[in-house]
Amino acid sequence: MSKGVLVDVTRCIACRSCMVSCKSWNDLPSIPGGFQNNWDAPGKMDANNWTVVNNYMIEDGDDIKWRFVKKQCMHCLEPACESACFTHSFVKTKEGAVIYKPTTLNQDYCVGCRYCMIACPFGVPSFQWDKAFPYVLKCRFCYDRMKEEGLEPACVTSCPTQTLKFGDREELLAEAWDRINKNPNYVKRVYGEKEYGGTSWLYISDVPFDKIGFRTEAYGKPVTERSIPSLTWDVLKWTPAIFFGWGALLTAMRAYTKRRAEVHDESEMYAPVDPKE
Amino acid sequence: MQIGRNWSFRITAFRMLLFAFVAIAVAAALYRFVYGLGAVTNLSDEWPWGLWIGFDLLCGIALAGGGFSTALIVHVLHKDKYLPIARAALLTSLIGYIIALVSLFLDIGRWYNFWRPFFYWGFHSVLFEVFWCISLYTTVQVLEFGDIFFEKVNFPAMKKILGALMTPMLILGIVLPSLHQSSLGSLYIVAIDRLYPLWWSMIIPFFFVWSAFFLGPAMVTVEGTLAARAYGREPEMHVFESLTKVTLWMMVIYLIVKIIDLVYRGVFSMAFNGSYESNMFLIEMIGFVVIPIIMYAIPSIRTKLWGVLTASILVVVGVIFNRMNVVFTGMAKAAGGSYFPSFWEWMITIGMWSALVLLYCFVVENFPILSKEDHVSHGHDFASKPGIHA
Ligand code: SF4
Ligand code: SF4
Ligand code: SF4
């Protein structure tokens, strides 16, 4: 069964326990920058910070709301990073985690071209810019814990407010809608249900998603619900047909026009130039 | 400078300067290999691709489009009047691809793995197609060039083998670039919702391959004129002029398809919304598509060297401008952060293009690439009229 996590934004108190436990479980160095006690500057995920909690102040007249949002890889159902990679260095496991094979499975095929970073619609994969042989790193859904020890992700275990709930994605989705339907404060949307083909991590919130750093529309249109791999495949699937069709057409044209063309001795036509100055 | 009995390379002050640029670039590249990309570039998680991919790779390959469009015109359609430029186009194209491959190699982080994609069947990736086609096509071009090489270096057996392979190679030499020129566009399909809708389209592969194709004749014109000036030869004006017909019609079709695509996707009005992106788009379409079309359409402009040259330069700059818009302008809003190439990124790029010029000079001075002068003067000789020598 494919796993997921339900993130209930209304419950998060920004204690950042998840950030700490992610770091300690995954042995990520604590480098000043992404991980500091600056509440105004939104933190960014990078190669050493696979998850960040950002704060948002939403003003609605006199009504001011603070909301805190944990972000990490969304673990898409059909991940763009996986389909973009020409060495297949990302893979969606049947457990639901999207993992990077070079570091997680020790299959070092990645060439470091960073097309996965261009492809990810959530801007997740991060590069070790300071390394001579950098890896592309991101949240791996604690695949090792899940797979080998049957444990919940480190961040979920450490969350004191039950903002994060680990479980089967389908069940979590049902629970998400249940919570939304029982409480009119929630926005009627589960972010991650359909966006870009759906994701394993799901979010519910009582403030509009576009106010807390989620893209709900792009250039005036709602974000697409088709998966990115399916879009590229719509174009790529034509490759063999173009290869053979275009090749055959060219061969035919060449044969047809050749009969009418004069014959040239090419070796008589050209000569090295004299570099006169 | 004599290198052995048969080889020569003239050293001028300008060429020394180019050599210096190449040397600096090589040093910077070595530094990059030891200390990583972060040490020499301004790339970041927001801007994973920069100058080397955007300019050296995307534009280098597009500018090399002269190779496949000329091959199609000369060797498939057998329009023999264009033969005089065929080899020069092949040469620039080959060097362009080598530059692109070198910059790709510099840009990838785990370069010792560069051969992996050959053995990993990642066919669901656009990059996989690009990588295979570019590598194969570069090989094909090296073989095609081998045919010329063995005209100089006498080795009849080799020449014969290559001669027999010529037809399949020529066909592959058109099919492969058609595929990857378009796939370079398809790379940006993943950027849906991020690349500005004036550029993002499901048919962006068509726009890329089509523009690479019509860029070919323009590029041949520009480099032909440059070579003619550098070596004190007559520019092949009659060839340039009749090539404008190809470019003209292809650009008209490009413009029409572009408009239909924008209207179909309901984003046509975005071109006039006054945003930075829309202005860049209008400059691209009017300055570098509509104006060259008009210039090519007017006989009194296209029959003059200055006219055909100016219009061709506009076309060349226009395609570069388009690629830059896709890679940078159109992505800026979604990417956030800012990117401007670092000093060393510039130096490596400059070094790479200097190497291109040096290689070109060396090859045309030592191999039969440009047509013999007496072949040039037949046909209507516009260039010999006074006042046209630019
Ligand atoms: S969010 Fe990005 S990195 Fe994570 S699975 Fe989806 S495409 Fe891949
Ligand atoms: S950087 Fe590595 S993982 Fe990402 S697309 Fe390139 S080869 Fe694949
Ligand atoms: S699932 Fe694991 S790797 Fe991902 S953010 Fe949580 S602790 Fe970090």
Side-chain angles (χ1 to χ4, degrees):
Chain A
M1 275 294 257
S2 183
K3 299 292 182 186
V5 169
L6 176 60
V7 185
D8 191 333
V9 172
T10 62
R11 300 184 180 180
C12 180
I13 56 168
C15 68
R16 298 183 169 187
S17 305
C18 51
M19 290 174 67
V20 176
S21 53
C22 179
K23 280 220 180 231
S24 55
W25 179 262
N26 294 300
D27 277 332
L28 298 173
S30 217
I31 297 168
F35 203 73
Q36 57 190 351
N37 207 9
N38 180 352
W39 292 92
D40 293 329
K44 282 180 183 155
M45 281 176 267
D46 61 35
N48 298 319
N49 296 282
W50 297 350
T51 184
V52 288
V53 178
N54 281 320
N55 60 311
Y56 297 89
M57 193 166 74
I58 297 108
E59 285 176 84
D60 185 11
D62 285 341
D63 188 18
I64 293 175
K65 285 178 181 156
W66 280 86
R67 289 296 173 267
F68 316 102
V69 187
K70 175 190 189 293
K71 289 265 182 75
Q72 69 299 306
C73 167
M74 298 289 282
H75 298 278
C76 306
L77 301 184
E78 291 175 62
C81 56
E82 175 182 18
S83 80
C85 177
F86 60 164
T87 62
H88 204 214
S89 284
F90 281 103
V91 63
K92 174 92 177 168
T93 63
K94 63 178 192 313
E95 292 82 3
V98 177
I99 53 168
Y100 178 60
K101 293 199 274 186
T103 51
T104 310
L105 302 180
N106 232 336
Q107 295 174 0
D108 183 7
Y109 302 150
C110 170
V111 300
C113 67
R114 310 185 290 289
Y115 185 44
C116 47
M117 300 170 67
I118 300 275
C120 171
F122 303 105
V124 171
S126 307
F127 203 58
Q128 291 179 309
W129 293 102
D130 49 345
K131 296 268 163 53
F133 296 118
Y135 287 118
V136 179
L137 296 180
K138 68 168 193 68
C139 155
R140 58 176 94 164
F141 207 165
C142 288
Y143 182 66
D144 45 349
R145 289 168 65 95
M146 209 197 278
K147 178 91 183 162
E148 286 154 30
E149 312 182 33
L151 294 171
E152 299 186 332
C155 53
V156 175
T157 348
S158 68
C159 177
T161 60
Q162 283 158 356
T163 302
L164 309 175
K165 181 167 180 184
F166 177 74
D168 286 328
R169 182 187 186 261
E170 295 316 308
E171 286 168 18
L172 292 175
L173 186 59
E175 176 169 349
W177 278 110
D178 197 47
R179 286 194 210 171
I180 291 173
N181 290 332
K182 287 201 177 120
N183 185 339
N185 287 340
Y186 282 109
V187 176
K188 300 245 169 302
R189 173 172 191 163
V190 179
Y191 197 93
E193 182 181 8
K194 299 200 182 108
E195 286 72 14
Y196 302 104
T199 59
S200 292
W201 281 61
L202 303 164
Y203 286 77
I204 53 175
S205 160
D206 64 337
V207 291
F209 282 102
D210 56 341
K211 298 262 175 10
I212 50 173
F214 290 91
R215 284 190 102 191
T216 53
E217 55 173 50
Y219 307 112
K221 292 199 178 117
V223 295
T224 179
E225 296 190 346
R226 282 194 57 187
S227 78
I228 286 174
S230 72
L231 288 171
T232 357
W233 188 247
D234 270 359
V235 171
L236 266 184
K237 68 181 176 199
W238 295 101
T239 309
I242 295 175
F243 184 86
F244 291 110
W246 186 215
L249 184 68
L250 289 171
T251 316
M253 283 198 304
R254 175 166 159 91
Y256 175 72
T257 53
K258 192 167 200 160
R259 277 189 287 129
R260 299 181 312 177
E262 318 153 40
V263 183
H264 294 271
D265 181 3
E266 286 205 13
S267 54
E268 288 303 306
M269 286 192 63
Y270 307 95
V273 293
D274 181 19
K276 46 192 164 208
E277 292 280 325
Chain B
M1 188 167 74
Q2 275 312 111
I3 318 157
R5 198 159 43 87
N6 273 329
W7 312 88
S8 68
F9 193 62
R10 225 185 121 84
I11 298 295
T12 63
F14 181 61
R15 289 181 185 182
M16 287 308 286
L17 182 69
L18 294 183
F19 271 118
F21 282 137
V22 175
I24 296 173
V26 169
L30 290 177
Y31 189 81
R32 169 256 168 282
F33 280 125
V34 178
Y35 292 100
L37 283 162
V40 286
T41 70
N42 279 346
L43 297 171
S44 62
D45 287 340
E46 286 77 43
W47 287 99
W49 286 357
L51 186 70
W52 296 343
I53 295 285
F55 187 70
D56 297 343
L57 184 86
L58 281 184
C59 294
I61 296 269
L63 296 181
F68 88 115
S69 40
T70 323
L72 178 63
I73 295 169
V74 174
H75 297 295
V76 171
L77 303 176
H78 285 104
K79 303 256 186 240
D80 288 336
K81 63 178 170 200
Y82 301 122
L83 262 177
I85 53 151
R87 285 190 170 181
L90 170 67
L91 174 65
T92 348
S93 169
L94 174 60
I95 304 179
Y97 275 83
I98 293 176
I99 297 280
L101 285 176
V102 172
S103 52
L104 191 63
F105 192 72
L106 270 180
D107 194 80
I108 59 178
R110 312 178 65 75
W111 46 268
Y112 60 88
N113 264 345
F114 78 94
W115 50 274
R116 294 278 189 185
F118 282 122
F119 296 93
Y120 201 94
W121 209 239
F123 58 86
H124 42 55
S125 165
V126 183
L127 205 55
F128 178 75
E129 188 189 326
V130 172
F131 183 71
W132 263 96
C133 288
I134 290 189
S135 320
L136 280 182
Y137 181 48
T138 309
T139 318
V140 166
Q141 285 183 305
V142 169
L143 290 176
E144 282 180 339
F145 190 76
D147 193 53
I148 302 171
F149 184 79
F150 291 114
E151 252 171 42
K152 159 126 183 175
V153 180
N154 208 353
F155 192 2
M158 231 11 236
K159 177 109 178 114
K160 213 162 165 192
I161 297 174
L162 289 175
L165 282 174
M166 233 3 162
T167 299
M169 278 191 330
L170 280 170
I171 303 295
L172 269 182
I174 297 167
V175 173
L176 292 173
S178 308
L179 280 176
H180 73 244
Q181 294 280 8
S182 61
S183 319
L184 285 175
S186 319
L187 279 179
Y188 276 85
I189 287 182
V190 297
I192 180 172
D193 293 352
R194 283 172 291 144
L195 180 58
Y196 205 75
L198 289 174
W199 292 286
W200 187 90
S201 161
M202 278 304 275
I203 60 168
I204 189 172
F206 165 81
F207 293 126
F208 266 56
V209 67
W210 200 257
S211 55
F213 197 97
F214 71 62
L215 172 73
M219 196 61 199
V220 164
T221 307
V222 173
E223 80 191 47
T225 317
L226 283 177
R229 281 202 56 182
Y231 293 115
R233 297 156 56 98
E234 297 291 330
E236 275 120 348
M237 190 55 208
H238 60 288
V239 177
F240 299 163
E241 194 223 323
S242 53
L243 277 174
T244 60
K245 276 183 259 148
V246 182
T247 324
L248 173 63
W249 286 112
M250 292 197 70
M251 288 183 85
V252 170
I253 294 172
Y254 181 81
L255 186 63
I256 294 173
V257 177
K258 196 100 191 181
I259 294 171
I260 294 176
D261 175 57
L262 292 179
V263 173
Y264 175 79
R265 287 184 296 116
V267 295
F268 188 74
S269 59
M270 288 180 98
F272 308 98
N273 66 11
S275 65
Y276 174 62
E277 288 87 351
S278 74
N279 292 338
M280 293 294 270
F281 180 78
L282 286 182
I283 296 176
E284 176 190 326
M285 294 316 287
I286 295 173
F288 301 116
V289 178
V290 176
I291 292 183
I293 287 179
I294 297 173
M295 292 181 73
Y296 282 146
I298 299 174
S300 60
I301 296 181
R302 73 157 178 261
T303 53
K304 307 270 183 1
L305 183 61
W306 69 264
V308 77
L309 185 63
T310 314
S312 300
I313 290 176
L314 284 180
V315 174
V316 172
V317 175
V319 173
I320 297 178
F321 197 74
N322 168 262
R323 302 303 193 259
M324 296 288 108
N325 276 341
V326 170
V327 182
F328 299 114
T329 319
M331 293 291 278
K333 221 171 238 163
S338 64
Y339 167 77
F340 191 79
S342 72
F343 176 75
W344 293 111
E345 283 177 88
W346 284 114
M347 286 318 284
I348 286 184
T349 297
I350 292 173
M352 214 122 57
W353 293 83
S354 307
L356 186 146
V357 175
L358 289 172
L359 252 165
Y360 181 93
C361 294
F362 175 76
V363 176
V364 297
E365 285 166 21
N366 287 282
F367 290 97
I369 303 292
L370 302 183
S371 61
K372 285 183 185 159
E373 287 277 19
D374 53 3
H375 270 271
V376 181
S377 47
H378 80 151
H380 12 266
D381 205 347
F382 295 96
S384 59
K385 285 185 202 151
I388 295 170
H389 264 285

